[in-house]
Amino acid sequence: MKLNKTLLSVATAASVLALVVPSVAEDVTIGFIGGFTGPIESLTPPIFAGAELAVKEVNEQGGILGGTLTLVSADGACDATTAAAAADKVINSDKATAIVGALCTGETIGAFNGSGLSGNVVFISPASSAPTLTTLDDNDLVYRTTPSDALQGVKMAKLLIDKGITDIAITYVNNDYGKGLADALSAAYTADGGTVAASVAHEDGKADYRAELGNLTASQNLVILAYANSSGNTILRQAVESGNFTTYVGGDGMVGDDLLKGIDAASVEGMIATRAGAPQGTATDLYTKLATDAGNDPNSTYAPQAYDAAFLLALAIEKNGSGSRDGLSAALREVASAPGEKIMPGEWSKAVEPDQGRYRYRL
């Protein structure tokens, strides 16, 4: 059975491990691939800032392998072909040891299949949530710090039923993310007693979705599984203009600053959206303070997961004892798995402090 390789956050996983201490200081580069342009361009900069924050903390708290950790980036545009070119740059030109990213699921798969697999490069995506990533033939190299949409669909279904919404119409972007989340939502929602009155795929990037919306009027409760900077905004705006819907629901891809561009906010008041998060507690509070002090918005979608991804990679590289890609996947599993002690956000120096001849990894 294929392992669902979703890594836990810095607040919940734990490990205590021995370290092979490098004899010579070594600088290390990791990469970030994400949609700086394209349908999630408003979501990507804060996600990148989350990864940057983790790298900054590593360097301020003693560095990695006795040297400096560097983060380089490339635009994957939420597109498999563009992401393959981005991966070629980061992996083969910039010589990154590992990758934070990509963000869209198709983007991650395109980047990994492009240069990741042949280069033996570990990827940790903070945002690729489609269930298809679980079964990717990846030689144990691709991970994520966000839950699968198999879970998001279940949670969204329960939320809607709990709010008394007993029928919905769904439109989803026609890719791994949209179809995966739509399928998970439909299955869970009907199992909970709800009715999916219509489910219609749409192609991203069109100027007019009125034909698709015309096929969704069997319910006044419209679920849009798409991207804030692209079809999500257009469909929401045209749905409001049609007057056929009273309740609007979105997934994580809809949570962006540009979603309401050209839309009167009052017309979608009470809109429901779901996204990955962590329970309130010490770790969440610490991350919130760290992000706020750095000038970042701690509530940005997938920024905490990007922080986790970069921090995990740094720990795995330190555990592996070099900037080599060989052995990094095994080291990652060790630092992200029990047994061990918890380490909180901002505690890089504590995570790798000497302890009776050992180095401790507590994640």
Side-chain angles (χ1 to χ4, degrees):
M1 182 177 66
K2 182 75 172 181
L3 177 67
N4 186 347
K5 299 176 295 181
T6 299
L7 298 170
L8 300 179
S9 73
V10 290
T12 56
S15 188
V16 177
L17 300 161
L19 169 70
V20 178
V21 182
S23 57
V24 179
E26 183 176 357
D27 294 333
V28 178
T29 296
I30 60 174
F32 179 97
I33 297 172
F36 290 98
T37 61
I40 62 165
E41 63 183 20
S42 67
L43 278 70
T44 298
I47 298 172
F48 180 58
E52 282 186 310
L53 179 59
V55 171
K56 178 174 178 285
E57 290 174 359
V58 167
N59 290 325
E60 289 179 346
Q61 296 181 33
I64 190 169
L65 302 176
T68 300
L69 182 63
T70 298
L71 180 66
V72 297
S73 65
D75 181 16
C78 196
D79 173 77
T81 302
T82 306
D88 179 61
K89 171 195 175 293
V90 171
I91 292 170
N92 297 320
S93 297
D94 296 329
K95 305 298 182 184
T97 296
I99 302 295
V100 176
L103 304 184
C104 298
T105 300
E107 181 184 42
T108 296
I109 293 173
F112 177 73
N113 285 339
S115 296
L117 181 59
S118 60
N120 193 36
V121 180
V122 169
F123 280 55
I124 305 181
S125 171
S128 295
S129 55
T132 52
L133 203 68
T134 301
T135 55
L136 179 67
D137 186 7
D138 64 355
N139 200 28
D140 204 31
L141 292 169
V142 180
Y143 301 80
R144 56 184 164 198
T145 50
T146 187
S148 166
D149 284 332
L151 176 62
Q152 184 177 187
V154 169
K155 293 298 185 181
M156 183 183 288
K158 183 178 186 305
L159 178 63
L160 296 178
I161 293 295
D162 288 348
K163 287 182 174 292
I165 298 172
T166 57
D167 62 84
I168 56 174
I170 303 171
T171 182
Y172 60 91
V173 62
N174 190 21
N175 61 17
D176 287 334
Y177 163 70
K179 187 176 187 309
L181 182 49
D183 288 348
L185 171 61
S186 296
Y189 190 69
T190 54
D192 287 344
T195 299
V196 178
S199 183
V200 176
H202 67 264
E203 299 304 320
D204 198 29
K206 291 172 57 177
D208 191 339
Y209 292 98
R210 291 176 180 86
E212 289 88 345
L213 287 167
N215 292 321
L216 294 164
T217 56
S219 172
Q220 292 186 328
N221 307 307
L222 180 62
V223 180
I224 306 171
L225 305 178
Y227 304 119
N229 287 95
S230 189
S231 61
N233 168 265
T234 306
I235 290 172
L236 182 61
R237 175 169 46 81
Q238 293 177 352
V240 169
E241 292 169 355
S242 76
N244 291 323
F245 307 96
T246 58
T247 302
Y248 300 96
V249 182
D252 47 351
M254 296 283 282
V255 185
D257 293 340
D258 288 350
L259 177 64
L260 298 183
K261 186 176 181 180
I263 300 171
D264 178 6
S267 64
V268 293
E269 185 175 356
M271 182 174 177
I272 302 164
T274 57
R275 65 175 184 176
Q280 288 300 120
T282 302
T284 304
D285 292 344
L286 282 171
Y287 173 78
T288 297
K289 184 179 187 309
L290 289 168
T292 301
D293 289 349
N296 299 348
D297 179 0
N299 296 312
S300 294
T301 301
Y302 291 128
Q305 287 77 14
Y307 177 96
D308 286 347
F311 199 96
L312 279 160
L313 287 177
L315 281 174
I317 291 166
E318 187 84 13
K319 164 61 187 172
N320 205 31
S322 77
S324 173
R325 297 167 184 168
D326 294 337
L328 188 59
S329 178
L332 177 61
R333 284 187 173 276
E334 290 188 81
V335 300
S337 304
E341 303 172 49
K342 289 182 181 178
I343 181 168
M344 299 296 176
E347 294 185 341
W348 170 260
S349 59
K350 186 176 180 180
V352 297
E353 67 184 358
D355 179 29
Q356 297 179 351
R358 293 165 61 86
Y359 275 61
R360 295 180 294 179
Y361 292 89
R362 294 168 292 181
L363 184 64

